[in-house]
Amino acid sequence: MTLPADLLASLVAADGTRPRLTFYDDAAGPTRGERIELSGRVLANWVAKAANLLQHDLDGAPATTVGLDLPAHWRAFYWALASWSVGSTVVLGPDARTADVVVTTDPQVAGEVAEGAGLAVLVTLPMLARGNPVTPADTVDEAHDLAGYGDLFSPWEEPDERSPALVVDGAATGYGQVVVPTYASGSAPRVRVPDRLGDALVAALSAWAADGSVVLVREPAADQADRLASEGVTVDLA
């Protein structure tokens, strides 16, 4: 069984400087036009910070559910990997907002969770965000708080392979099945993943299992042929 956390460690060990996640934002709004490229080491740093926050301050552990009320976005990737690093279950779809921990971009949702004595994290999508002035009381302001957590992470517990790693619209995939060996070992595919978070995460895990990398385009606004060619994409799943 290959765990997502082990997969991330193997990417860093193989070559921590290689790009592993390239993200383009074509969605209408303040983040339109952003491009960010994360090496294995940089991605691992983001994951470690979020995992330390989950484990130390938000009761993240096996059997904890972490709802990602987020678009298909590079920030959603490190929150999913952080959740798997502590052994929790990532929940997507309508049930995300009723999880033990709710990670959302919506201040109203975060406020409702906090008012109900739940645990909420408010994510601000722009890459240079340093805080969100509308963060509700008793809610973690990720843009302000996450930087203070450590760049190294050590889990207190490991998940069981039969435990659910990912639940999408009520359908569960266990830790023993979430990393699917789709490509030949070491083939290093460059994969464009779908603009749907659940599918994007599963596709990324498969690519990384073969020492590959992924490209994610949020709400693509036009034909992507030139962009994908410039990125060296070898497999287009979108």
Side-chain angles (χ1 to χ4, degrees):
M1 177 182 69
T2 301
L3 296 174
D6 297 335
L7 197 57
L8 183 61
S10 71
L11 297 182
V12 176
D15 184 349
T17 63
R18 274 180 56 194
R20 297 296 185 171
L21 170 59
T22 304
F23 172 77
Y24 288 89
D25 199 334
D26 286 357
T31 60
R32 185 180 180 88
E34 286 191 348
R35 177 189 184 276
I36 186 167
E37 188 167 85
L38 283 74
S39 67
R41 184 173 295 117
V42 171
L43 178 59
N45 284 350
W46 281 100
V47 171
K49 288 178 181 295
N52 279 311
L53 169 59
L54 281 171
Q55 181 168 266
H56 292 281
D57 291 338
L58 297 176
D59 301 327
T64 301
T65 55
V66 179
L68 300 187
D69 183 37
L70 302 171
H73 194 275
W74 69 275
R75 294 194 185 277
F77 268 58
Y78 66 74
W79 274 106
L81 288 164
S83 302
W84 290 326
S85 294
V86 302
S88 296
T89 301
V90 171
V91 180
L92 307 180
D95 293 337
R97 296 184 177 187
T98 59
D100 298 323
V101 181
V102 178
V103 184
T104 182
T105 56
D106 190 331
Q108 182 175 341
V109 170
E112 291 171 354
V113 171
E115 287 174 6
L119 300 171
V121 178
L122 182 64
V123 171
T124 307
L125 294 181
M127 66 175 69
L128 299 179
R130 293 295 179 265
N132 193 323
V134 297
T135 302
D138 301 318
T139 295
V140 175
D141 179 358
E142 187 227 41
H144 180 269
D145 298 337
L146 193 63
Y149 288 84
D151 293 339
L152 299 175
F153 175 72
S154 180
W156 292 337
E157 299 180 70
E158 296 285 348
D160 185 276
E161 67 178 63
R162 295 164 295 182
S163 299
L166 179 65
V167 177
V168 181
D169 297 328
T173 302
Y175 269 91
Q177 293 79 43
V178 74
V179 179
V180 181
T182 304
Y183 309 99
S185 178
S187 59
R190 179 76 163 153
V191 181
R192 181 197 178 189
V193 298
D195 182 29
R196 298 178 300 276
L197 184 53
D199 294 336
L201 291 171
V202 171
L205 293 175
S206 292
W208 290 334
D211 194 31
S213 60
V214 301
V215 175
L216 169 63
V217 183
R218 181 187 176 203
E219 297 185 23
D223 183 79
Q224 300 293 305
D226 290 344
R227 176 182 281 171
L228 301 186
S230 70
E231 289 290 350
V233 168
T234 59
V235 179
D236 185 0
L237 298 180

